[in-house]
Amino acid sequence: MTTAAVIVAAGRGTRAGDGPPKQWRPLAGRTVADWTIRAFSINPLVDHIVLVMHPEDIDHASDLVLVDGLIIVAGGSTRDQSVLNGLEAISDRGVDKVLIHDVARPCVSQKTIIDVAEALKDTPAAAPAVEITDALWRGENGKVTGTQDRSGLYRAQTPQGFDFRSILRAHREHPGGALDDVQVARDAGLSVQIIKGNPSNIKITRPEDFAQAEEILKDAMKIRLGNGYDVHAFEDGTSVILCGVEIPHDKALKGHSDADVAMHAVTDAIYGALADGDIGRHFPPSDPQWKGAASEIFLKHAVKRAAEKGFGISNIDVTLICEQPKIGPHASAMRANMANIMGIELDQVSVKATTSEQLGFTGRSEGIASVATAALIGL
């Protein structure tokens, strides 16, 4: 399943006070747009990101902390048209699910993104919302004129998630003027599941909202470090698998799964940073279903667990300790594969090797050891 995020950033934000449109204003050391893009770029479930910009703002694209593959699209005269432009831009990319998000919600959590995306396995549309618990008044000319029953009322949030083909068709056929994409979906007959939202997922609308968003982001930013270590002995074979790359060798590595010693160390480093046990806890070697399993299953699980707990991968550093095979000729492919599996950039992954100067079991070429460090950042 391929998931895309369409971030709508073509609005003018006139209620946000004097200055450039709110998405290009500074917020906690970045711009609002940078924070929002980052939230989706570090999420392991998001494969493509589309940023829909006002035609007059295209020059701001050069100021963004860009992520590889960011698709920039010019918006339309209305929000409906801007969303449709974003959807059309990826209509030929095999997208199965799409998350449509307001750029002015930079505090969206990883859990909210995951919850909406996961809900789309069972429903054509899902969106986060917060149940209203405050008393509601009706007013006129600064006076309370009555009250409103709050039963069954929610504050809508984004990202709003949809089956891609269904929402594309709905937007193509909609006459316009919808309050949000949920209304477009419902007008097309789609059932929309309500996902529990997060009160911190605020929309920056007024000048005072910037200070609140900055406090939320400062409170949410956390750094976790974890270490991983693994060892596998050699056995008869013709190749070893390291970081998911098959390397010809006169031996293989022995293990219950594919014995990818490097990927195991990285996986345990991520679990360690989360204080979430190790591979053996999540994938017991006594369970026959993991016999010969590809280790990327374990790594993807660790990355997903991190996102569920509100963390993205900042960087990974893994060192292989062995006399043979030579790692250098394969390091680039190993880095690229690890970055792809974890959904991060190539420069966030380091793969290197050293020998043990012919000392110990690695020096006697009896096996390979690996150590890894994972740095996680919270949002």
Side-chain angles (χ1 to χ4, degrees), residues 5-9 36-37 39-40 50 79 99-108 112-113 157-160 181 201-202:
V6 173
I7 300 173
V8 187
T36 305
I37 293 168
F40 288 88
V50 180
R79 186 186 187 281
L99 308 177
I100 304 174
H101 188 68
D102 295 328
V103 71
R105 292 186 185 272
C107 304
V108 61
T112 296
I113 295 171
Q157 297 183 332
T158 64
Q160 296 176 354
D181 302 291
N201 186 15
I202 67 169

Side-chain angles (χ1 to χ4, degrees), residues 111-188:
K111 185 176 187 306
T112 296
I113 295 171
I114 288 174
D115 287 349
V116 174
E118 294 283 8
L120 295 177
K121 295 177 180 178
D122 304 309
T123 183
V130 175
E131 189 173 4
I132 293 177
T133 57
D134 296 325
L136 294 177
W137 299 335
R138 289 191 297 272
E140 187 175 346
N141 299 323
K143 303 288 186 180
V144 176
T145 60
T147 58
Q148 176 67 48
D149 182 13
R150 62 177 179 253
S151 300
L153 294 181
Y154 293 82
R155 287 191 290 113
Q157 297 183 332
T158 64
Q160 296 176 354
F162 307 93
D163 171 77
F164 181 78
R165 289 296 161 189
S166 297
I167 196 64
L168 175 61
R169 182 168 56 251
H171 265 285
R172 284 173 173 172
E173 297 174 354
H174 201 272
L179 292 175
D180 61 7
D181 302 291
V182 164
Q183 183 178 347
V184 174
R186 293 189 69 251
D187 288 348

Side-chain angles (χ1 to χ4, degrees), residues 47-353:
D47 303 292
H48 305 290
I49 301 176
V50 180
L51 182 67
V52 185
M53 301 175 62
H54 193 283
E56 295 178 3
D57 294 345
I58 295 298
D59 288 345
H60 283 287
S62 61
D63 299 327
L64 290 168
V65 181
L66 293 177
V67 298
D68 282 353
L70 180 67
I71 303 165
I72 296 177
V73 178
S77 58
T78 64
R79 186 186 187 281
D80 295 0
Q81 186 60 54
S82 292
V83 172
L84 180 56
N85 289 0
L87 296 173
E88 295 285 10
I90 50 174
S91 60
D92 61 349
R93 295 193 177 223
V95 174
D96 303 295
K97 300 182 288 188
V98 63
L99 308 177
I100 304 174
H101 188 68
D102 295 328
V103 71
R105 292 186 185 272
C107 304
V108 61
S109 71
Q110 296 300 300
K111 185 176 187 306
T112 296
I113 295 171
I114 288 174
D115 287 349
V116 174
E118 294 283 8
L120 295 177
K121 295 177 180 178
D122 304 309
T123 183
V130 175
E131 189 173 4
I132 293 177
T133 57
D134 296 325
L136 294 177
W137 299 335
R138 289 191 297 272
E140 187 175 346
N141 299 323
K143 303 288 186 180
V144 176
T145 60
T147 58
Q148 176 67 48
D149 182 13
R150 62 177 179 253
S151 300
L153 294 181
Y154 293 82
R155 287 191 290 113
Q157 297 183 332
T158 64
Q160 296 176 354
F162 307 93
D163 171 77
F164 181 78
R165 289 296 161 189
S166 297
I167 196 64
L168 175 61
R169 182 168 56 251
H171 265 285
R172 284 173 173 172
E173 297 174 354
H174 201 272
L179 292 175
D180 61 7
D181 302 291
V182 164
Q183 183 178 347
V184 174
R186 293 189 69 251
D187 288 348
L190 296 179
S191 174
V192 182
Q193 180 178 338
I194 297 174
I195 303 301
K196 184 178 180 180
N198 188 326
S200 294
N201 186 15
I202 67 169
K203 184 176 182 180
I204 296 177
T205 303
R206 298 171 296 275
E208 58 268 27
D209 295 335
F210 285 90
Q212 184 181 358
E214 185 154 344
E215 287 302 313
I216 292 170
L217 290 171
K218 284 182 177 178
D219 289 342
M221 285 297 294
K222 304 178 289 288
I223 298 176
R224 294 281 192 92
L225 296 178
N227 295 315
Y229 176 75
D230 196 34
V231 173
H232 282 279
F234 283 129
E235 64 179 4
D236 291 340
T238 59
S239 64
V240 295
I241 297 175
L242 299 172
C243 294
V245 176
E246 186 171 4
I247 299 174
H249 190 46
D250 59 2
K251 296 181 179 66
L253 286 171
K254 182 179 181 180
H256 184 67
S257 62
D258 62 5
D260 190 331
V261 63
M263 201 173 289
H264 291 179
V266 171
T267 302
D268 272 348
I270 296 172
Y271 285 140
L274 298 171
D276 197 23
D278 57 16
I279 293 176
R281 171 179 162 185
H282 296 281
F283 303 93
S286 58
D287 189 335
Q289 70 174 308
W290 308 121
K291 178 67 175 178
S295 293
E296 71 175 67
I297 295 172
F298 313 148
L299 181 57
K300 287 179 177 178
H301 178 266
V303 173
K304 183 180 177 183
R305 291 282 290 185
E308 290 171 343
K309 293 175 179 287
F311 289 92
I313 309 298
S314 175
N315 71 290
I316 296 293
D317 181 25
V318 57
T319 300
L320 288 152
I321 305 163
C322 60
E323 301 294 325
Q324 294 290 337
K326 295 299 182 184
I327 303 302
H330 308 282
S332 294
M334 293 161 69
R335 291 177 63 211
N337 191 55
M338 293 286 281
N340 181 61
I341 291 170
M342 291 184 284
I344 58 179
E345 304 302 317
L346 183 64
D347 64 3
Q348 294 174 271
V349 181
S350 168
V351 175
K352 55 190 188 298

